[in-house]
């Protein structure tokens, strides 16, 4: 496993250094610093589960994908508010960008589901009112932020520590605030240390495409796959 | 000027529908809804000016670019926390993603400077602790968010209402939280309704490159340039 100092220097994007690993089919939660800059929270609160702000479409999709986890092929990933693997600085005000508030429904509401053998990830996402870009619609940056996180998580989970090298995305239609969207990313091919991924964001209730594109991650030198394969 | 309803349907990204226009060389602040979901704030607070959280590098760059505004070739752009042109729903909890907190220094601290005749924009940016991605570094999504906003603002200011169609960026080196970076974007060419832009993010105190790339915006049908040219 890479030392944190090395990871600090190499990492370029968001969530490839996540809070869990998949080893021998078992998802293991790593020691994680949980800190809320605004409101005190549990140190190890898992934000990737439903709360009162979730709309009926989010709940329906959550139940659908939770059903997929029953045979072990898919796993819901826990989601914390800091990506540190070690609780080295409990006084740090730093928080993961996508989990930087405890006000339910205000920013990023999401849950991720991983199929490690298919090298594929799904994420259901409900953007809150503090993510506005165009009036009453989600900021393109907020959409990109979660897309980067979801794809990076998939790459990390299956290939080990990675860094984002390139992102090429097309914005096809706006995402209304409060709606439910489905983010999907998968590893298309691996060439040496290069991990080529595709990504797609659609409406959670129809095939309407919001965003499509591709991403390139680079596997960090000397790191093994997170799933031990 | 496009009607808000049309803009709502057409807009795909963040800040191309901003709160000001440049007409005959005069920057005009539009009627803007200013609303703070967490802490009450002035309705028309301009966030694009220094506060106590800004580090010395931010202050030095701010003073440098403010000096450039003295001959009128550059303009500092005011920055509010909602992009609505009309105060149609003062009770809305919606807030611009990059201005969704009043806790100084915690998220996006930035100021934008526009040279309309050169179709070029500069932005000084200090990422706060709530924008974390890799430990102690800025989330790639946060960097992308402001890049989208800055480039879109330049396109809007010089060409009128636009929408983001494609973004292709390379992440070259991580951005430490609390550091100062310089975002630059410019219009390279315009072909019919297509606006091709280049973008570059460097350290505010050295030539070190963090991000480079290109963006494509599409000019909305029937809209005139914001600067009246």
């Amino acid at each position: 496993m890479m030392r944190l100092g090395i990871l600090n220097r190499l990492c370029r994007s968001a969530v490839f250094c996540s809070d869990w690993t998949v080893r021998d089919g078992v998802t293991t939660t790593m020691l994680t610093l949980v800190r809320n800059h605004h409101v005190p929270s549990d140190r190890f609160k898992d934000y990737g589960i439903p709360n009162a702000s979730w709309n009926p479409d989010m709940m329906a999709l959550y139940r659908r994908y939770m059903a997929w986890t029953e045979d072990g092929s898919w796993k819901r990933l826990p989601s914390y508010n800091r990506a540190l693997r070690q609780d080295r600085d409990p006084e740090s005000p730093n928080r993961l960008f996508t989990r930087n508030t405890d006000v339910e429904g205000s920013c990023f509401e999401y849950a991720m589901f991983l199929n490690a053998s298919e090298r594929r990830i799904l994420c259901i996402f409900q953007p809150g009112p503090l993510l506005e870009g165009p009036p009453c619609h989600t900021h393109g940056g907020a959409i990109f932020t979660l897309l980067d996180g979801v794809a990076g998580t998939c790459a990390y989970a299956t290939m080990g520590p990675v860094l984002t090298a390139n992102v090429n995305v097309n914005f096809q239609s706006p995402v209304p605030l409060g709606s439910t969207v489905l983010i999907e990313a998968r590893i298309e091919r691996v060439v040496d240390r290069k991990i080529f991924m595709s990504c797609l964001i659609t409406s959670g209730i129809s095939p309407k495409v919001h965003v499509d594109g591709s991403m390139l991650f680079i596997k960090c030198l000397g790191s093994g796959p997170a799933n031990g394969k």
Side-chain angles (χ1 to χ4, degrees), chain A:
Chain A
M1 185 177 296
M2 298 185 67
R3 288 187 307 165
L4 188 63
I6 298 172
L7 200 62
N8 278 353
R9 289 196 297 275
L10 289 175
C11 290
R12 294 175 186 170
S13 191
V15 293
F16 40 80
C17 41
S18 194
D19 303 281
W20 42 265
T21 55
V22 183
R23 290 186 187 281
D24 303 325
V26 179
T27 303
T28 305
T29 300
M30 305 292 286
L31 182 62
T32 305
L33 175 61
V34 177
R35 184 155 199 85
N36 189 320
H37 196 59
H38 299 305
V39 184
S41 66
D42 297 331
R43 285 179 67 82
F44 302 102
K45 177 178 175 180
D46 180 1
Y47 289 82
I49 57 176
N51 62 50
S53 78
W54 285 29
N55 66 41
D57 293 331
M58 278 285 282
M59 287 305 306
L61 290 176
Y62 183 81
R63 283 191 289 267
R64 174 194 297 174
Y65 298 126
M66 282 302 290
W68 290 11
T69 69
E70 291 175 1
D71 68 0
S73 58
W74 287 82
K75 294 192 181 300
R76 184 190 70 81
L77 302 179
S79 177
Y80 307 101
N81 66 5
R82 201 162 182 216
L84 273 186
R85 288 163 171 269
Q86 294 172 315
D87 190 356
R88 296 189 177 192
D89 181 8
E91 296 306 315
S92 171
N94 297 358
R95 289 199 59 188
L96 184 65
F97 185 34
T98 56
R99 297 295 191 196
N100 68 9
T101 178
D102 272 351
V103 181
E104 292 179 351
S106 65
C107 289
F108 295 90
E109 292 290 343
Y110 63 97
M112 291 186 284
F113 298 86
L114 175 74
N115 187 315
S117 63
E118 293 183 0
R119 303 195 297 190
R120 179 181 171 213
I121 195 167
L122 295 173
C123 175
I124 53 175
F125 170 36
Q126 175 186 300
L130 299 190
L131 304 187
E132 190 174 54
C136 301
H137 286 77
T138 311
H139 196 295
I143 297 169
F144 174 88
T145 294
L146 201 50
L147 175 61
D148 182 36
V150 169
T153 296
C154 182
Y156 168 80
T158 55
M159 303 298 295
V162 298
L163 49 88
T164 312
N166 175 265
V167 179
N168 190 342
V169 290
N170 303 300
F171 292 89
Q172 298 198 28
S173 63
V175 175
L177 293 174
S179 66
T180 301
V181 295
L182 180 63
I183 302 173
E184 180 172 2
R186 68 170 71 218
I187 296 174
E188 298 291 346
R189 67 186 193 282
V190 178
V191 180
D192 297 328
R193 293 170 55 212
K194 295 179 180 175
I195 303 165
F196 296 89
M197 298 190 68
S198 63
C199 54
L200 184 69
I201 303 180
T202 55
S203 166
I205 55 173
S206 78
K208 182 177 184 178
V209 175
H210 294 299
V211 175
D212 73 288
S214 61
M215 307 178 80
L216 170 63
F217 292 87
I218 304 291
K219 193 169 183 298
C220 296
L221 280 171
S223 60
N227 63 356
K229 293 177 181 174

